[in-house]
Amino acid sequence: MKHLKNRNQTPTETVNYAAQLEPGDIEFEIAQIQEHLSHTEDLKIHELLFNNQLCALVYLESLVKTELIQSSIIKPLLESNSGVVEQIVTSIEVTKTSDVFQIGKYLLHGFCMMVMENDSAASMMSVAQSQGRTIEEPKAEQIIQGSHEGFIESLNTNIYLLRNRIKSPKLKVKYFTLGSVTNTKVAMIYMDNMADPAIVEECEKRIQTIDLDYLYSVGNIDEMIEEHPFSPFPQSIQTERPDRAVSYLMEGKINILVNGSPSVLVLPITFFAFYQSPDDYNNRWITGSFFRVIRLISFILAISLPAIYIATVSYNSEVLPMGILYSVKVSLTYVPLPPILEAIVMQIILELLKEAAIRLPSPIAQTIGIVGGLVIGTAVVEAHLVSHTMIVVIGLTAIASFATPLNEFGTSLRILGFPTMLAASLFGFFGISIMMMLIFIHLCKIETLGVPYFEPFGPFYGKESSKDIFLRLPIWRGHNVSRNAEPSTITKSFFGRWKRS
């Protein structure tokens, strides 16, 4: 039996990535692959005799299941000793190619290459291993009621979580490969009968125009395809919850998944989607509506509450009742800083505490959040750096910004609080009015994939289009479902026979 020697020997010519394998010299064929893969040391070669010819199995040991190679490739080939590879190795996917670039691409995706003497085509067999965490509840989006499953880093698993909930032939998946170095697999998913074809075409066009050396997460795609990169408002939603992603698919939106990322990018998105949560639909409609209204109120509070305090203390103290005004004035007696500096200092301290709590391990983070807040808050008040009222205002502002279901939008609100506070310090309530007007004008102006961001109010499409925005309508009302069932005998005297539509 002829053995392979000098496997690390470089071919006499530089290998072109579009070159074809040259039949006849198996050593040179392997050398071509080694050159293409930069002579990496995790490229393994296994020799065997098949059809009375010398064969070699070539694979990257870090990407394959060696047990699967032994049981599904080597063992059947040795037992048969002759025949056609595709007919012998039937338990796994087999593809034939002679293109060096394609062979390298297959190897990097967990395939095993089989080359034979006097054969210009290599057989590529899928033996990839899957090393990933199990499906678990996402930590970034807490769930009160409903599914506790969350997306993970495996693209196929994430698509399974979506298809397991939508068993429809209209669920369509399109694949892309982005990143000239990383060659990351990306999937665009939508309902073919619900998504707007113009929006799908525009989204696909933007994805195809992305030119990056590397792609790690959906955040890279989001940054490349968003229309208003200088807007403080996020123009897409990243979620790790399959139930949320499915609900958007059923609304005609597009999901973008990236292999290696546990988040799903949802496009196009509107302002009010950030204040809606799947938990709203896991409770009774009255409860869901109540919490949705609370969240929308928190939007105004998070932006304007510190500014209202500054305007009241600096310009319009007469709007406060005498008892509250006296308490506020007393607390400001020994504070050397103007209200605008008070607010900015406390907002920065709040952000520092939040960042420290996020970066530290969970047990330490809880201690920092509680003890740090109490100690620093008490210390700055006793040192007369800020007033008691400012501590209360900043605390309420933080709570209001944290009330949004998605953290990224809450961060945008806290950022917008700084220019609003500056306007209040210069012009009082008039400055707040101007800033709020500019914010709402901006919300009405921007678009995502051609869809107005402040839809259905900017532009206003009528009363019917504004349903399920401020209130979570009942399922039988919002989805046009009629209920003709006979009520129970206890409630029949009150309700009688009904029909809901």
Side-chain angles (χ1 to χ4, degrees):
M1 177 179 179
K2 178 182 177 182
H3 291 279
L4 302 179
K5 298 179 181 179
N6 301 323
R7 291 174 181 162
N8 293 322
Q9 181 181 356
T10 305
T12 55
E13 299 180 359
T14 303
V15 176
N16 183 359
Y17 286 170
Q20 304 291 315
L21 288 179
E22 297 185 11
D25 189 350
I26 192 171
E27 291 187 12
F28 186 79
E29 292 177 353
I30 295 176
Q32 283 182 289
I33 301 302
Q34 288 177 322
E35 177 71 15
H36 178 70
L37 295 177
S38 303
H39 294 275
T40 177
E41 294 186 2
D42 61 342
L43 184 70
K44 300 299 179 182
I45 302 171
H46 184 89
E47 306 169 18
L48 55 88
L49 193 63
F50 180 72
N51 280 342
N52 294 322
Q53 290 182 316
L54 178 64
C55 303
L57 297 177
V58 183
Y59 55 89
L60 291 166
E61 64 173 349
S62 54
L63 298 178
V64 303
K65 287 184 178 179
T66 54
E67 300 84 359
L68 187 60
I69 294 177
Q70 182 65 37
S71 60
S72 299
I73 299 178
I74 296 178
K75 185 177 179 181
L77 291 176
L78 292 178
E79 289 178 350
S80 300
N81 198 26
S82 62
V84 181
V85 175
E86 292 83 349
Q87 297 177 353
I88 297 173
V89 183
T90 58
S91 59
I92 54 178
E93 176 187 352
V94 181
T95 305
K96 298 203 73 171
T97 180
S98 59
D99 186 84
V100 175
F101 177 78
Q102 288 296 327
I103 292 174
K105 187 175 180 180
Y106 277 119
L107 290 175
L108 291 171
H109 282 80
F111 279 69
C112 174
M113 178 185 76
M114 179 176 175
V115 290
M116 303 176 61
E117 288 182 320
N118 303 319
D119 191 351
S120 61
S123 299
M124 308 303 302
M125 296 164 279
S126 176
V127 287
Q129 65 173 338
S130 56
Q131 295 287 348
R133 59 188 176 97
T134 58
I135 298 173
E136 57 187 13
E137 181 179 350
K139 296 179 180 179
E141 299 175 69
Q142 294 298 318
I143 300 171
I144 300 175
Q145 293 181 351
S147 173
H148 288 264
E149 291 181 332
F151 290 118
I152 61 173
E153 287 73 17
S154 172
L155 179 62
N156 291 333
T157 303
N158 292 342
I159 295 177
Y160 157 78
L161 290 173
L162 296 177
R163 283 202 176 274
N164 190 45
R165 287 167 169 79
I166 305 178
K167 295 181 173 62
S168 169
K170 296 299 183 180
L171 185 65
K172 189 170 182 178
V173 181
K174 286 187 176 181
Y175 289 115
F176 305 89
T177 301
L178 301 180
S180 58
V181 176
T182 57
N183 290 312
T184 306
K185 192 174 183 181
V186 176
M188 184 177 77
I189 305 178
Y190 59 93
M191 295 297 295
D192 195 35
N193 60 331
M194 295 183 181
D196 188 337
I199 294 177
V200 172
E201 182 181 356
E202 178 64 22
C203 184
E204 184 176 356
K205 185 188 303 181
R206 294 188 187 186
I207 293 175
Q208 290 175 339
T209 56
I210 294 177
D211 184 14
L212 293 173
D213 292 335
Y214 57 86
L215 183 72
Y216 294 140
S217 66
V218 294
N220 301 137
I221 296 180
D222 184 20
E223 190 172 352
M224 293 296 294
I225 67 177
E226 65 179 358
E227 296 180 45
H228 305 277
F230 298 105
S231 173
F233 294 100
Q235 296 151 53
S236 62
I237 283 180
Q238 295 186 31
T239 180
E240 295 184 25
R241 293 183 57 167
D243 55 349
R244 185 191 289 272
V246 166
S247 69
Y248 289 130
L249 285 173
M250 300 307 295
E251 293 176 5
K253 293 179 172 55
I254 301 170
N255 288 357
I256 299 177
L257 293 77
V258 175
N259 190 35
S261 175
S263 298
V264 170
L265 188 70
V266 182
L267 290 167
I269 213 66
T270 61
F271 169 84
F272 294 99
F274 289 97
Y275 286 93
Q276 299 172 356
S277 172
D279 291 328
D280 295 344
Y281 299 91
N282 294 326
N283 295 299
R284 297 183 66 246
W285 72 272
I286 297 177
T287 306
S289 299
F290 172 74
F291 287 118
R292 184 171 296 180
V293 170
I294 292 295
R295 296 189 205 109
L296 290 170
I297 293 174
S298 72
F299 167 72
I300 303 296
L301 293 178
I303 294 178
S304 62
L305 193 56
I308 291 174
Y309 169 81
I310 294 171
T312 302
V313 171
S314 302
Y315 295 98
N316 307 101
S317 57
E318 68 276 2
V319 301
L320 295 176
M322 188 58 66
I324 299 178
L325 177 61
Y326 176 77
S327 176
V328 172
K329 289 296 184 181
V330 169
S331 66
L332 289 171
T333 303
Y334 300 103
V335 176
L337 300 177
I340 179 65
L341 290 182
E342 277 189 90
I344 291 177
V345 168
M346 289 308 301
Q347 284 280 49
I348 293 175
I349 291 175
L350 173 66
E351 292 298 323
L352 289 174
L353 286 173
K354 185 179 73 70
E355 283 298 307
I358 292 174
R359 309 304 169 194
L360 291 172
S362 297
I364 304 176
Q366 295 176 4
T367 305
I368 290 293
I370 298 173
V371 177
L374 291 174
V375 171
I376 294 176
T378 304
V380 295
V381 170
E382 291 182 352
H384 300 294
L385 296 177
V386 298
S387 63
H388 295 84
T389 311
M390 178 56 74
I391 296 293
V392 175
V393 168
I394 295 300
L396 291 175
T397 304
I399 294 173
S401 66
F402 295 149
T404 56
L406 296 169
N407 178 63
E408 185 179 4
F409 197 83
T411 304
S412 299
L413 299 184
R414 292 194 296 276
I415 293 174
L416 286 172
F418 288 98
T420 309
M421 288 187 291
L422 182 61
S425 68
L426 296 175
F427 306 107
F429 283 108
F430 179 72
I432 297 176
S433 301
I434 294 297
M435 277 303 303
M436 296 302 294
M437 187 185 302
L438 292 175
I439 290 172
F440 280 105
I441 289 174
H442 176 70
L443 287 173
C444 294
K445 183 180 179 181
I446 62 177
E447 296 180 346
T448 59
L449 292 178
V451 177
Y453 190 70
F454 209 53
E455 188 185 38
F457 297 103
F460 184 67
Y461 293 135
K463 182 180 177 181
E464 291 298 318
S465 63
S466 60
K467 288 183 177 180
D468 207 33
I469 298 297
F470 296 109
L471 301 178
R472 199 282 273 179
L473 296 180
I475 298 296
W476 45 265
R477 183 71 177 273
H479 293 270
N480 202 22
V481 177
S482 63
R483 179 170 178 174
N484 297 314
E486 182 75 23
S488 64
T489 56
I490 297 177
T491 60
K492 184 176 180 180
S493 60
F494 181 78
F495 289 104
R497 184 181 296 274
W498 61 35
K499 182 178 181 181
R500 296 173 178 173
S501 61

